Amino acid sequence: MDFLKKIRLLSVITSMLFLGLVGCSSMSFVGMYKMSQMNPLTTDPAQIKVAIKTDQTIEVKDGSAKINFGYKSDDGTINIEDTFLVQISKNDRGARVLFDDIKATDRITVLSLSEEDAKKFQQNQKIILAHKAQDKEGTGSLGIGLDDFCLPTSLPERDLLIDVYLQTDTKDGYFKFLSGIDIKEQAEKMEEQGEELNCENNVAA
């Protein structure tokens, strides 16, 4: 199996692992297909955006979405293991049209790579492409994960679900990536493990 086949497969697998998909949360068929067709060596990282719909009580911070990119060459000359903390994009109000049934209690947040991280991502692409141009092989992985959400101490009675749209190319626009991620369920699991999603507690620590 060549690098691209491996990296395309792992892009879906690692995304699922990082997101901890459980219960009623789901990755859309469109999302799975789009990720399987994505070529991480030619995708322009500056065009990657993540649009998230959450309840207004959930604070989405810079770094709440992460892009993990790795590559190890068979000859040992390349070992890339980078995690890019996606930052909040302040100038993308058009993402609201992506989501159905937006409630008054909902919040839309758009995240993208910083200019510096996009350049580093491109540098990685060039290194790998140059290596492959010499008929040398390796294995890689690409994952998109969500974590580091902040919850209030007292959760509201209503459902706290997250829907996610992803863009990898401005020409194609956004596609539905994930829907129905149950934050309450995730919070309960973290509490059982002695962890918390409360921002004040995280800062105090």
Side-chain angles (χ1 to χ4, degrees):
M1 184 181 295
D2 64 19
F3 169 75
L4 288 182
K5 288 182 180 177
K6 286 185 179 179
I7 200 169
R8 286 172 180 171
L9 176 63
L10 288 171
S11 68
V12 176
I13 293 175
T14 54
S15 293
M16 290 181 177
L17 291 175
F18 293 146
L19 288 163
L21 300 181
V22 293
C24 62
S25 63
S26 63
M27 185 175 187
S28 72
F29 289 112
V30 173
M32 293 180 68
Y33 174 75
K34 289 280 191 179
M35 286 295 288
S36 70
Q37 296 300 303
M38 178 183 174
N39 186 340
L41 297 183
T42 58
T43 297
D44 180 0
Q47 297 185 40
I48 298 175
K49 289 187 179 181
V50 183
I52 305 173
K53 182 178 78 171
T54 64
D55 188 89
Q56 64 184 6
T57 59
I58 301 173
E59 182 184 351
V60 181
K61 305 185 298 181
D62 282 346
S64 293
K66 296 177 174 64
I67 296 178
N68 298 271
F69 184 49
Y71 182 81
K72 290 185 179 181
S73 62
D74 293 344
D75 61 13
T77 59
I78 302 175
N79 185 7
I80 296 172
E81 293 182 1
D82 283 336
T83 297
F84 301 100
L85 306 181
V86 186
Q87 65 181 7
I88 294 176
S89 177
K90 306 293 185 181
N91 302 314
D92 199 329
R93 299 177 182 177
R96 291 186 64 86
V97 302
L98 298 170
F99 300 94
D100 299 324
D101 303 322
I102 297 178
K103 303 174 184 176
T105 54
D106 287 335
R107 171 185 292 164
I108 308 298
T109 306
V110 178
L111 304 107
S112 60
L113 285 174
S114 68
E115 183 177 352
E116 181 179 353
D117 281 347
K119 288 181 179 178
K120 185 176 182 181
F121 197 110
Q122 288 177 325
Q123 289 173 353
N124 289 342
Q125 291 173 317
K126 291 177 181 178
I127 291 171
I128 297 168
L129 286 170
H131 185 263
K132 289 182 63 64
Q134 302 175 42
D135 293 326
K136 296 180 179 180
E137 300 298 327
T139 57
S141 61
L142 176 69
I144 297 175
L146 300 175
D147 59 18
D148 202 20
F149 293 102
C150 297
L151 298 181
T153 302
S154 299
L155 297 178
E157 295 293 329
R158 59 183 179 271
D159 291 336
L160 299 181
L161 303 179
I162 291 180
D163 294 329
V164 182
Y165 275 75
L166 179 65
Q167 173 183 283
T168 58
D169 188 323
T170 53
K171 291 181 180 179
D172 293 338
Y174 288 92
F175 57 88
K176 182 178 286 188
F177 185 57
L178 295 159
S179 61
I181 301 174
D182 190 338
I183 287 296
K184 280 187 176 180
E185 186 174 339
Q186 299 294 327
E188 289 173 359
K189 286 192 171 185
M190 290 186 69
E191 286 181 0
E192 291 175 359
Q193 298 171 1
E195 302 177 38
E196 297 187 27
L197 284 172
N198 181 276
C199 287
E200 294 180 1
N201 290 335
N202 287 342
V203 171

